[in-house]
Amino acid sequence: MIDILQLLIFGIVLGGIIALGAVGVSLLFGILRFAHFAHGDMMTLGAYLAFAFVAGLGWPLLAAFPLAVLLTVGVAVLIDQVLYRRLRRKAPVILLFSSFGVALMLRAIIELVWGPDTVVYDSAIQLPWRIAGLRIKPDHVTIVIGAIVLVTALHLFLQRTRTGKAMRAMADEPDLAQVTGINTERVVIWTWIIGSALAAAAGIFLALDTRLVPLLGWNLLLPVFAAAILGGIGRPYGAIFGGLVIGISTEMSTLAIAPVYKPAVAFTIILIMLIWRPTGLLRGR
Amino acid sequence: MSLLVAEDIHGGYGGVDILNSANLRVDADEIVVIIGPNGAGKSTLIKAVFGLVPIRRGTVTFDGNAITNQRPDVLVARGMSYVPQERNVFPTLSVTENLEMGAYTRTDDYSADMAAIFDIFPVLAERRRQPAGQLSGGQRQMVAIGRALMVKPRLLLLDEPTAGLSPKFVDEILERITAINQLGVAVLMVEQNARRALELAHRGYVLVMGACRIEDTGANLLANREVGEAFLGGRAAND
Ligand SMILES: Nc1ncnc2c1ncn2[C@@H]1O[C@H](COP(=O)(O)OP(=O)(O)OP(=O)(O)O)[C@@H](O)[C@H]1O
Ligand SMILES: [Mg+2]
């Protein structure tokens, strides 16, 4: 029983991180109709930018976090305006391939600047709290609280603001959004802002939970896509749910299979979903 | 002077022209109905007026100004709004949010206009928090029309507002359209329920193969034998 609860905690931590990435993938797909392959490397970028402030300038992570998120957003919007914007009138598959190129470029730049070696934010060993037989790391609490705060902020943005509602409208029916007079370019830019900010946060949380390597985000791309598909692509709330399901089932899988096979869980879920219910559990596109 | 005038419109989707010299006009206080066989180009004509299908030859004027091939958002700002034939609501957005999206281009307070729309369609007021996708077909059409009314248009373009509805809802929607017209909104609509639509229309056009073959008052078109045989008799039995 304790084992299961312990794995559940790990699963929620991982699931929260995956959810933050999957929301962006899902929103971007909903608005621009393409799978953003550079999303994982966007996470990596956020994580390394935070590392630059922490290791380079000696800032606490809490101060590095917002600035790293902001810079990642800047990079994402810049890439969109310089590259993707010109390709939007073409087929979505061209956007998909160019995002693959962006993924490789981002990763190459990260390796060039920070090197291929593993680094960490804080090399001090964290002693877990022991509560009723469970081991809880302070970092895990930080991650879960951070994810809850961000998801709540996202929820308020989508439900309460004019731009957030326009974003949902455009994900629903892009043609109708256009004839209604919604400024679709503005919505696109906001989608990049939200998606890349959450990706950067996910990257920093993942690096906090594990270690920083240039493949950090790329390795998480499969579970992130699985979560977005599971939740119904184009549905941000579905993506959050999908993230938690993937995170928890990945950790729980170690009850039955060897931990080295953990990554296969997301892959299996993608396969099952695509065959059994391609529109997602919560009915997306 | 007519509010909307379309003259000698040619255009289509890039290949062969769908519209071949279509002409129509709508006066400021009118309900004008376009009827015609499937594939005649009725939807295409409305889309061409609204800047969604390129016009290769011909002119459209709105309130005396040329608006040929003008972008939809510009036309919305000028007082025209459009309800597509299909996919005309945002299904995951609530009724209220759909109406708010209709007012996206407005920066002033539109709460009075939303209240007025709830007066026209009281059932929407009861369902205001429900996602539009969960409503019945008739209620969805009400949301779609309400959304288009949020910009206080002078001309409302409707593409088959009663398609697929039960007779009860057909009556209700058409009656509401008359009420909207009486509030001072000109209406140009395509209708498959030709008999019912012509009864309430001031004028009508019969569009065949991309050209307006017959133009007359609603009453005269109803009495016209050719129109009756082609569009009213057989159809009415099917509807
Ligand atoms: N997006 C499109 N691309 C290419 N051709 C199209 C497109 N939409 C319609 N068409 C073609 O244009 C012609 C006219 O279509 P349109 O939709 O205007 O007819 P309609 O009179 O509205 O018919 P219906 O009563 O079925 O709604 C048809 O031959 C149709 O196949
Ligand atoms: Mg049509």
Side-chain angles (χ1 to χ4, degrees):
Chain A
M1 190 58 206
I2 286 290
D3 275 358
I4 293 179
L5 279 180
Q6 186 68 55
L7 288 175
L8 187 67
I9 291 171
F10 292 155
I12 289 171
V13 171
L14 181 63
I17 294 169
I18 294 172
L20 291 178
V23 165
V25 165
S26 203
L27 277 176
L28 284 166
F29 190 92
I31 301 296
L32 292 168
R33 308 281 136 167
F34 83 107
H36 183 225
F37 265 91
H39 215 70
D41 299 278
M42 212 68 105
M43 293 181 195
T44 317
L45 180 66
Y48 272 96
L49 285 170
F51 175 74
F53 296 119
V54 171
L57 301 175
W59 290 14
L61 190 60
L62 200 64
F65 184 95
L67 205 60
V69 167
L70 218 64
L71 286 173
T72 310
V73 166
V75 171
V77 172
L78 190 76
I79 292 172
D80 176 65
Q81 291 298 299
V82 172
L83 178 67
Y84 298 138
R85 192 164 66 102
R86 295 159 203 274
L87 303 173
R88 257 176 235 151
R89 307 248 169 275
K90 313 255 189 297
V93 66
I94 294 178
L95 279 171
L96 185 147
F97 279 117
S98 58
S99 79
F100 203 83
V102 168
L104 296 176
M105 279 191 303
L106 281 177
R107 201 183 319 153
I109 291 169
I110 288 165
E111 272 203 53
L112 215 61
V113 175
W114 286 286
D117 298 331
T118 304
V119 287
V120 290
Y121 288 136
D122 183 359
S123 51
I125 289 178
Q126 250 187 355
L127 284 179
W129 297 320
R130 294 191 169 277
I131 300 165
L134 295 171
R135 285 169 294 117
I136 298 177
K137 269 171 50 179
D139 282 348
H140 285 167
V141 177
T142 310
I143 293 168
V144 170
I145 291 177
I148 291 173
V149 168
L150 289 171
V151 165
T152 309
L154 173 79
H155 171 72
L156 293 177
F157 170 80
L158 288 174
Q159 297 299 325
R160 301 282 167 84
T161 68
R162 191 171 84 117
T163 305
K165 289 173 192 180
M167 197 176 282
R168 284 158 52 217
M170 206 175 146
D172 264 9
E173 293 291 355
D175 293 343
L176 186 62
Q178 200 208 342
V179 303
T180 301
I182 289 174
N183 185 340
T184 51
E185 272 305 305
R186 207 181 108 93
V187 173
V188 167
I189 290 178
W190 271 99
T191 311
W192 282 109
I193 293 174
I194 305 286
S196 60
L198 295 179
I204 296 170
F205 290 157
L206 184 61
L208 191 62
D209 189 28
T210 58
R211 284 158 307 181
L212 266 163
V213 282
L215 281 173
L216 178 87
W218 179 256
N219 287 337
L220 201 69
L221 199 61
L222 189 69
V224 161
F225 275 32
I229 292 171
L230 190 65
I233 193 101
R235 306 265 160 132
Y237 294 100
I240 294 164
F241 167 78
L244 286 173
V245 171
I246 302 277
I248 291 169
S249 49
T250 299
E251 293 295 345
M252 290 284 183
S253 72
T254 55
L255 288 173
I257 57 176
V260 286
Y261 292 120
K262 268 205 263 183
V265 173
F267 189 71
T268 312
I269 291 179
I270 287 193
L271 269 186
I272 294 173
M273 284 305 294
L274 289 179
I275 293 166
W276 173 61
R277 211 161 184 188
T279 52
L281 277 184
L282 304 182
R283 287 257 172 273
R285 286 170 189 282
Chain B
M1 190 182 62
S2 296
L3 183 59
L4 178 80
V5 182
E7 277 181 315
D8 193 28
I9 304 297
H10 295 253
Y13 300 91
V16 190
D17 280 354
I18 305 294
L19 301 171
N20 299 297
S21 192
N23 293 282
L24 65 78
R25 69 183 170 84
V26 181
D27 289 343
D29 50 3
E30 276 190 314
I31 298 180
V32 173
V33 168
I34 304 171
I35 61 172
N38 289 101
K42 304 182 296 294
S43 296
T44 307
L45 179 55
I46 283 209
K47 285 189 209 161
V49 167
F50 200 64
L52 295 170
V53 166
I55 294 172
R56 200 173 53 72
R57 196 176 112 193
T59 54
V60 186
T61 58
F62 184 62
D63 210 12
N65 301 308
I67 56 154
T68 318
N69 289 323
Q70 194 65 263
R71 285 200 343 244
D73 51 331
V74 176
L75 297 176
V76 168
R78 289 207 180 188
M80 203 189 271
S81 58
Y82 163 67
V83 179
Q85 182 170 350
E86 282 161 341
R87 318 188 72 150
N88 52 20
V89 298
F90 300 111
T92 69
L93 270 59
S94 71
V95 169
T96 306
E97 288 169 339
N98 266 273
L99 298 183
E100 284 171 8
M101 287 301 105
Y104 185 88
T105 51
R106 291 180 60 172
T107 47
D108 55 336
D109 179 20
Y110 52 71
S111 50
D113 299 297
M114 195 179 288
I117 287 163
F118 284 139
D119 282 343
I120 299 172
F121 302 115
V123 62
L124 296 188
E126 292 163 26
R127 305 272 158 113
R128 64 176 80 204
R129 288 172 191 284
Q130 216 163 313
Q134 287 176 8
L135 302 179
S136 72
Q139 290 165 350
R140 272 209 301 275
Q141 287 296 345
M142 295 176 192
V143 173
I145 296 171
R147 190 220 88 229
L149 288 175
M150 285 299 287
V151 284
K152 291 204 278 188
R154 281 185 293 163
L155 174 64
L156 187 58
L157 306 173
L158 301 174
D159 196 347
E160 300 203 18
T162 68
L165 300 187
S166 65
K168 177 176 149 274
F169 269 123
V170 172
D171 287 347
E172 185 170 353
I173 295 282
L174 291 177
E175 183 197 306
R176 297 293 91 197
I177 289 170
T178 307
I180 290 163
N181 173 248
Q182 278 160 2
L183 295 174
V185 183
V187 176
L188 172 62
M189 67 173 174
V190 173
E191 253 305 329
Q192 291 281 21
N193 291 300
R195 184 179 293 278
R196 304 295 332 284
L198 289 174
E199 280 166 12
L200 63 88
H202 297 103
R203 286 185 306 110
Y205 292 89
V206 180
L207 191 78
V208 181
M209 288 167 61
C212 295
R213 173 99 67 85
I214 309 172
E215 173 197 349
D216 214 328
T217 62
N220 284 349
L221 286 174
L222 278 172
N224 183 314
R225 260 192 75 183
E226 193 188 340
V227 175
E229 276 166 17
F231 305 110
L232 306 177
R235 266 224 109 75
N238 290 335
D239 284 347

